[in-house]
Amino acid sequence: MSKLIELKGISKSYDGEKILNSMNLYIRDREFITLLGPSGCGKTTTLRIIGGFESADEGELYFDGVEISNVPTYKRPVNTVFQKYALFPHLNVYENIAFPLRLKKIPEDSIREKVSEMLKMVALEGFENKSVSTLSGGQQQRVAIARALVSHPRVLLLDEPLGALDLKLRKDMQNELKRIQQSIGITFIYVTHDQEEALSMSDTIVVMADGEIQQIGTPTDIYNEPKNAFVADFIGESNIIDGIMLEDKKVRLAGHVFDCVDGGFEKNEPVDVVIRPEDIDVVPVDKGMLNGYVTSVTFKGVHYEIIVDIKGFKWMIQSTDYVSPDSIIGVYIEPDAFHIMKKSKYSGKFGDYSSYSDEIEELSNADAAEEF
Amino acid sequence: MKKLSQIKHSAAAAPHIVWAVLFILLPLFIVTYYAFTDADGAFSFENVTSLSEYLKIFGLSMELAVIATFVCLLVGYPLAYIMARANPKRQKLFIMLLMLPMWTNLLIRTYSIMAILDDGGILNTILNTSMHIVGTKGAVIFGMVYDFLPYMVLPIYTCISKIDKHMWEAAADLGCNSFKVISKVIFPLSMSGVISGVTMVLVPSISTFYISQKLGGGTFELIGDTIERQFVTGALNVGAAISLVMMLLILLSLAVMNKFTDSEDGGIIA
Ligand SMILES: Nc1ncnc2c1ncn2[C@@H]1O[C@H](COP(=O)(O)OP(=O)(O)OP(=O)(O)O)[C@@H](O)[C@H]1O
Ligand SMILES: [Mg+2]
């Protein structure tokens, strides 16, 4: 697959504050790529630069090998689905979808054909003459998607398009969007701060924080091989523990030396070690590699979430077996469950569950870690 | 409980009802009464049937008012658009500048225009020309546009500034250049403001009398002047009949204009 869009050294500041810091990224033809990151990290700004609503202070933007930084929005083969849909209230459903076609002076019967094809795709047949203000959020969303796709853009930009929908509808629309993207075979650039959404829909995920790209990869890459503590923490649950890489495939943490599968570090290099809660097995104390004191157990439906104090550091374990609070348990970890990461500016800020509770999860983990 | 609140409600509305009866319904009734009676107070259709004499004046008034309204729209819409799109600080300044002339009495403004445009007036003196402007239709239209422009700009400005900012982006995104963004999306969305503006300029333009008296230089008479003359000369019944017909005509044109907009917050008459 070839590079369709390329951002080279894109920077953007607002009021002297750097929002995007020399961003480099390429997007392949027909891929579903997601920009993922916490609020304010610059996702929308990136999308607006690609769409032409905002211009970058520095850097170049290429489309199909041609520099388009100065091409106005209306000439870019890129369409947008806005977060609040931005349907035209003076036009009905049919006319909203026909809008881009009418601009191109396409004959009326061809417009009719294309609009009904779109309505069928988004499952809104029979809604032609409805006023857009009478539609539900999900229906408005579909009209917005149909309107953006009817003129066959090469790329569709979607800025948190499901943000305003309830959970059930969100799941349905996620599947529907993925199906639409695959059936028409165009590039989707999707913005979300919901990691689950990103993992389930994307071919490629771009994890952003503080105006910088932290990692680019497939969902499995990002989940299994996070590049730094930020990514490990942002995607799924992670225990992130200080360790020392003694030599290839030998890491020391929590006072023990473990076998692992990673290598390529300096001798005795300090590292961050990620261990996913589901990769830790609960075993009897005499069989444990490490022992710890259970401080809390929460039933989560599929599994129990167990917080264990091991040498003063609180680990999270997900297990289908119940253990009782205030007991001592042993833990066992397979060598391939250790993910070794280089130290970064995010080291030590994430991955400790000492402050963990469902309420505090709402806050950012960084804040919580500093507070406790 | 409910009863009490209803009583309170109607008590609060009482002053408004008294006002409406005293200053709207009663005058309307008096005008209607005079229109259908003769000088002795006997019922008569004569006033109304005699109106055919004034058909030409009606026509001229209509013509000038429509032209003035059109010019106001042509000048006012871009102005309102620029105001609505300016940054908030500039917007306040623009509104100030627009309102400033309205703080001066209408009559004084009209006299000032006369002083400028007169045959021996300021304009001719400065340019050292001898243009004859006062007394032409152009001068009357200019006067109407000058006096009534703010009534066109303000409702349109309010309407455009309420439009969601994403409309501009969505239109451009779907292939509109800057001109088409306005013609295909923004103008249609600001239609209710346009209707209000047109109404607020057209109505006073039709019935104005001092603008035509001063800037018309006495060379032609508009319907407002005719009505005024009737009352000054004591022909109350004919004056009342003309007023009544005018009112009906204006009501009719408002109704027609409201047909053009189906938005909820549409024209003057809901
Ligand atoms: N027009 C603007 N003027 C000033 N600051 C802006 C502007 N647009 C965005 N910003 C700032 O830039 C930063 C990044 O904004 P952006 O909208 O790209 O974030 P985001 O990643 O989309 O966040 P969210 O998930 O909350 O939508 C924010 O701190 C925001 O306040
Ligand atoms: Mg955003």
Side-chain angles (χ1 to χ4, degrees), chain A residues 138-150:
Chain A
Q139 290 166 341
Q140 291 190 33
Q141 183 60 270
R142 288 158 204 254
V143 176
I145 290 164
R147 185 181 69 174
L149 288 174
V150 73

Side-chain angles (χ1 to χ4, degrees), chain B residues 106-173:
Chain B
L106 199 60
L107 213 56
I108 294 174
R109 268 187 285 156
T110 310
Y111 269 110
S112 316
I113 297 175
M114 210 168 93
I116 294 170
L117 298 183
D118 225 348
D119 285 0
I122 297 170
L123 189 69
N124 277 323
T125 312
I126 290 175
L127 297 179
N128 201 11
T129 50
S130 56
M131 288 183 286
H132 178 67
I133 303 172
V134 170
T136 61
K137 280 185 187 174
V140 176
I141 291 170
F142 178 81
M144 290 177 176
V145 170
Y146 181 77
D147 279 340
F148 301 134
L149 187 63
Y151 301 109
M152 181 65 82
V153 175
L154 288 178
I156 297 177
Y157 158 78
T158 309
C159 196
I160 294 178
S161 46
K162 274 195 286 192
I163 296 174
D164 179 3
K165 298 282 168 275
H166 285 109
M167 289 298 141
W168 275 265
E169 293 183 348
D173 189 59

Side-chain angles (χ1 to χ4, degrees), chain A residues 186-241:
Chain A
I186 65 165
T187 306
F188 272 34
I189 307 179
Y190 193 92
V191 162
T192 183
H193 58 242
D194 179 342
Q195 44 118 349
E196 222 174 290
E197 196 167 282
L199 288 172
S200 66
M201 296 172 83
S202 320
D203 299 319
T204 306
I205 295 178
V206 179
V207 183
M208 294 175 66
D210 307 322
E212 286 177 6
I213 293 177
Q214 303 298 326
Q215 188 169 2
I216 305 175
T218 63
T220 32
D221 279 351
I222 299 263
Y223 189 84
N224 290 334
E225 303 292 339
K227 236 184 188 154
N228 62 32
F230 176 85
V231 178
D233 180 76
F234 196 75
I235 312 285
E237 299 289 349
S238 308
N239 299 291
I240 305 175
I241 300 136

Side-chain angles (χ1 to χ4, degrees), chain A residues 48 51 53 73-74 78-80 82 86-90 99-100 103 105 147-148, chain B residues 164 166-178 180 184-186 188-189:
Chain A
R48 290 173 61 79
F53 306 115
T73 305
Y74 76 96
V78 169
N79 280 356
T80 307
F82 294 88
L87 298 176
F88 300 129
H90 63 299
F99 186 88
L103 289 174
K105 306 236 175 342
R147 185 181 69 174
Chain B
D164 179 3
H166 285 109
M167 289 298 141
W168 275 265
E169 293 183 348
D173 189 59
L174 295 168
C176 290
N177 57 28
S178 359
K180 284 210 167 126
K184 300 277 180 201
V185 177
I186 305 305
L189 287 177

Side-chain angles (χ1 to χ4, degrees), chain A residues 43-45 83 159-160 191:
Chain A
K43 307 179 295 288
T44 298
T45 307
Q83 183 163 6
D159 190 359
E160 308 212 21
V191 162

Side-chain angles (χ1 to χ4, degrees), chain A residues 14-15 19 37-46 54 160 193:
Chain A
Y14 284 117
D15 315 319
I19 301 303
S39 188
C41 71
K43 307 179 295 288
T44 298
T45 307
T46 308
E54 214 74 71
E160 308 212 21
H193 58 242

Side-chain angles (χ1 to χ4, degrees), chain A residues 108-294:
Chain A
E108 193 60 40
D109 45 341
S110 163
I111 289 182
R112 202 172 309 125
E113 194 178 307
K114 284 173 190 231
V115 172
S116 63
E117 185 189 322
M118 281 298 138
L119 281 169
K120 195 167 166 205
M121 185 184 75
V122 297
L124 280 181
E125 290 139 304
F127 281 71
E128 285 82 351
N129 297 320
K130 290 223 174 187
S131 147
V132 292
S133 58
T134 62
L135 302 182
S136 71
Q139 290 166 341
Q140 291 190 33
Q141 183 60 270
R142 288 158 204 254
V143 176
I145 290 164
R147 185 181 69 174
L149 288 174
V150 73
S151 53
H152 296 289
R154 298 280 301 280
V155 178
L156 191 66
L157 309 178
L158 304 102
D159 190 359
E160 308 212 21
L162 310 182
L165 307 181
D166 63 56
L167 193 67
K168 171 82 174 68
L169 200 53
R170 256 181 111 107
K171 296 275 178 223
D172 293 347
M173 284 299 293
Q174 283 176 11
N175 294 331
E176 208 160 319
L177 278 175
K178 186 73 194 166
R179 176 184 60 78
I180 289 169
Q181 189 258 340
Q182 281 166 346
S183 73
I184 55 177
I186 65 165
T187 306
F188 272 34
I189 307 179
Y190 193 92
V191 162
T192 183
H193 58 242
D194 179 342
Q195 44 118 349
E196 222 174 290
E197 196 167 282
L199 288 172
S200 66
M201 296 172 83
S202 320
D203 299 319
T204 306
I205 295 178
V206 179
V207 183
M208 294 175 66
D210 307 322
E212 286 177 6
I213 293 177
Q214 303 298 326
Q215 188 169 2
I216 305 175
T218 63
T220 32
D221 279 351
I222 299 263
Y223 189 84
N224 290 334
E225 303 292 339
K227 236 184 188 154
N228 62 32
F230 176 85
V231 178
D233 180 76
F234 196 75
I235 312 285
E237 299 289 349
S238 308
N239 299 291
I240 305 175
I241 300 136
D242 281 334
I244 302 283
M245 203 64 188
L246 300 175
E247 57 187 82
D248 280 359
K249 303 187 180 181
K250 284 259 182 285
V251 62
R252 193 179 74 210
L253 59 99
H256 276 252
V257 177
F258 294 90
D259 290 328
C260 64
V261 294
D262 292 337
F265 294 86
E266 307 270 321
K267 251 190 186 341
N268 295 321
E269 183 178 337
V271 291
D272 288 333
V273 182
V274 176
I275 305 161
R276 297 288 184 185
E278 69 272 21
D279 290 341
I280 304 173
D281 296 328
V282 178
V283 293
V285 173
D286 54 335
K287 298 214 174 88
M289 300 162 111
L290 296 166
N291 295 331
Y293 172 78
V294 177

